[in-house]
Amino acid sequence: MAPDDLDERPDRPVLTGLIALVGVALVVGLVLGGVALGAVSVLGLGGDDDSGGGSGASDRQSFYLPKPEPTGEPTEPLITLAPDGSSSGSAEDEPSESASSEAPEDEISLSAGQTSVSPMQQIDLTGVYTGGEGAILQVQRFAGGQWVDFPVTASVSNETFSTYIQTGQLGENRFRVIDTSTGLESNEVTVTIG
């Protein structure tokens, strides 16, 4: 084969395309690497360079997390609200009242989270039972001229309780809770269904 025959070989488009693709990938990689290096430099994400006088990473802390310490158990109820939504107050809030006029022992205060709901929508019942730690409270509804048990109970913890009910009984519905062991009754709340 003569050297002139080599120049007359057919073009190799696959090889030429592959070389062009590698060249483009190399150029794009270099550009993206430069952009990433610039971003790291601007954002300060690079490694520590301690050659400038010995300032360590601890000198540049911007976040301080204190050492956790255990806390004691609460001595009073976590939530103390009166049925009207105002705070129930304590001897500290009202210095003119004596300590003997605080909330009486064995009192159940009931609140409804909603006053009007659609049928079968959740109704939140919460409250405070002073002196009733561990008691089981039965939810009751006023129906047919008497209080009847509703198939929901709540237990008292830290002198507070919470539960929810659902009903499809349209109109005004009156609810209360009653201590299953002592028979002590709460105030009643009214919720309109419909």
Side-chain angles (χ1 to χ4, degrees), residues 17-38:
L18 187 58
I19 291 173
L21 186 62
V22 169
V24 169
L26 184 62
V27 170
V28 168
L30 287 173
V31 169
L32 290 178
V35 169
L37 184 61

Side-chain angles (χ1 to χ4, degrees), residues 24-193:
V24 169
L26 184 62
V27 170
V28 168
L30 287 173
V31 169
L32 290 178
V35 169
L37 184 61
V40 165
S41 171
V42 167
L43 296 175
L45 299 175
D48 293 335
D49 185 11
D50 290 338
S51 63
S55 64
S58 63
D59 295 339
R60 296 185 308 255
Q61 289 181 348
S62 62
F63 179 73
Y64 172 73
L65 182 62
K67 185 176 179 180
E69 296 179 8
T71 58
E73 289 291 320
T75 58
E76 297 180 13
L78 299 178
I79 300 173
T80 308
L81 297 177
D84 63 358
S86 65
S87 65
S88 64
S90 66
E92 296 171 359
D93 296 336
E94 301 167 6
S96 62
E97 295 184 17
S98 66
S100 64
S101 65
E102 290 181 5
E105 287 291 313
D106 300 333
E107 177 181 79
I108 305 174
S109 174
L110 177 65
S111 299
Q114 299 80 12
T115 57
S116 179
V117 296
S118 302
M120 297 309 292
Q121 186 177 348
Q122 180 171 315
I123 302 166
D124 299 309
L125 298 177
T126 59
V128 177
Y129 186 179
T130 307
E133 188 67 26
I136 302 298
L137 303 176
Q138 174 68 53
V139 177
Q140 292 184 329
R141 177 174 53 195
F142 193 76
Q146 63 181 356
W147 289 100
V148 293
D149 288 350
F150 201 80
V152 174
T153 60
S155 61
V156 179
S157 176
N158 290 328
E159 296 189 346
T160 63
F161 61 92
S162 67
T163 188
Y164 71 92
I165 57 174
Q166 295 173 307
T167 182
Q169 185 69 39
L170 299 177
E172 281 193 356
N173 285 267
R174 296 164 40 194
F175 298 98
R176 72 176 184 186
V177 293
I178 184 170
D179 186 332
T180 57
S181 62
T182 66
L184 184 66
E185 304 161 352
S186 73
N187 58 299
E188 65 180 61
V189 294
T190 304
V191 179
T192 305
I193 312 294

